[in-house]
Amino acid sequence: MGEYEMPVSLKIRLVGDPGKKHGSYLASMLHGALMEQIESRYVEKLHKSEIHPFSQYVTIQKDQIVWTVNCLTKEAEDIILSALEAKTFTSIYLSHRDETLFIQEKERKECSFPELINDYYFGEKRNLLNIRFVSPTAFKSGGEYCIFPSIRLIFQSLMLKYDACCEENHVFSEEILAHYEKYARIIRYRLRSVSFHMEGVHIPAFTGDVTIKINGPQPMVNMAWMLAEFGTFSGIGIKTGLGMGGMEIMDGTDKKNGGR
């Protein structure tokens, strides 16, 4: 990974037909629309790649559909976000629903890997970490879907996604993962089981909040915050490119904090 790599997020606010229902399941359809916007050569590369250089998901805020698209590499940013940020990209037609979504606003957010490390890993973060799973989330272990988060599943997913995109600063090891299992625990949760609908398949998943308390040394606490902030770009768990695993860091008043 080069020195100019950085996670970039684009929130696209859309308005659809008021007579139709809208939910997180729109993300799988918007994934298809996204693939139509970018060059076929890169689409083919994405299908073959084991590393997922982008994530995306849909949330509903009042009457607006909010489509979040995150790019984790410079190449993904150059190809995917340049297409979505084009002035000519003003609407999306979803043929499966015979519905046109009109773009109201686009909002961009950037965060470099050096910023992540300096602001989080070398910071002084509190040992309580509140995570909200804002789109259907699931993990897979031993070939089975896991629809309840555990410390191991959370930190294993975040570390592996981080390492896949930041070649110069790998963090995953079984020893570190074992330390999180020993020193961190979920002390509160408010979760509900949901299904993620994708091409006629219903994937068992969950949404909601968890509070993690980390009783280990300060570097472990700081790394947890760094990984969680990266997770707001990479997503967590399975099928993050298709709309699952969107997450945010929350403070105690239900507002997005981001750890700053």
Side-chain angles (χ1 to χ4, degrees), residues 30-41:
L30 287 171
H31 175 270
L34 173 61
M35 294 300 104
E36 292 175 0
Q37 293 294 319
I38 61 180
E39 57 191 61
S40 58
R41 178 181 57 83

Side-chain angles (χ1 to χ4, degrees), residues 33-195:
L34 173 61
M35 294 300 104
E36 292 175 0
Q37 293 294 319
I38 61 180
E39 57 191 61
S40 58
R41 178 181 57 83
Y42 189 62
V43 173
E44 185 177 348
K45 180 178 179 179
L46 289 175
H47 287 157
K48 294 179 179 179
S49 175
E50 294 183 1
I51 297 174
H52 301 289
F54 79 100
S55 70
Q56 58 95 17
Y57 61 91
V58 165
T59 53
I60 307 300
Q61 298 178 5
K62 296 182 179 179
D63 295 329
Q64 277 193 329
I65 302 159
V66 182
W67 183 27
T68 302
V69 182
N70 303 299
C71 293
L72 309 176
T73 67
K74 188 67 168 63
E75 182 182 34
E77 177 192 353
D78 289 343
I79 296 175
I80 295 175
L81 288 198
S82 62
L84 298 182
E85 289 181 318
K87 292 182 178 179
T88 55
F89 185 60
T90 58
S91 64
I92 305 168
Y93 178 66
L94 301 178
S95 57
H96 288 77
R97 293 166 57 92
D98 189 25
E99 179 182 13
T100 299
L101 305 180
F102 295 96
I103 295 172
Q104 303 292 301
E105 183 184 12
K106 302 176 185 180
E107 179 185 354
R108 182 184 178 107
K109 172 189 172 185
E110 299 180 353
C111 181
S112 68
F113 282 98
E115 284 177 342
L116 274 175
I117 295 169
N118 291 331
D119 293 351
Y120 290 85
Y121 188 71
F122 294 117
E124 192 74 20
K125 298 303 176 186
R126 58 196 177 108
N127 70 340
L128 291 180
L129 176 59
N130 299 301
I131 294 175
R132 173 163 293 171
F133 305 101
V134 296
S135 74
T137 302
F139 303 95
K140 216 165 187 184
S141 179
E144 299 288 336
Y145 290 115
C146 301
I147 60 169
F148 191 87
S150 68
I151 293 298
R152 181 177 183 86
L153 291 172
I154 289 170
F155 284 103
Q156 178 176 259
S157 176
L158 291 175
M159 284 193 285
L160 290 175
K161 289 180 185 297
Y162 183 91
D163 285 0
C165 295
C166 188
E167 297 174 356
E168 298 171 359
N169 183 35
H170 280 192
V171 296
F172 179 82
S173 74
E174 284 294 338
E175 182 181 1
I176 292 175
L177 189 55
H179 273 75
Y180 277 114
E181 289 188 280
K182 180 178 180 180
Y183 292 107
R185 62 191 177 98
I186 295 173
I187 61 169
R188 286 190 296 271
Y189 64 86
R190 186 176 59 186
L191 300 168
R192 67 187 185 99
S193 60
V194 297
S195 292

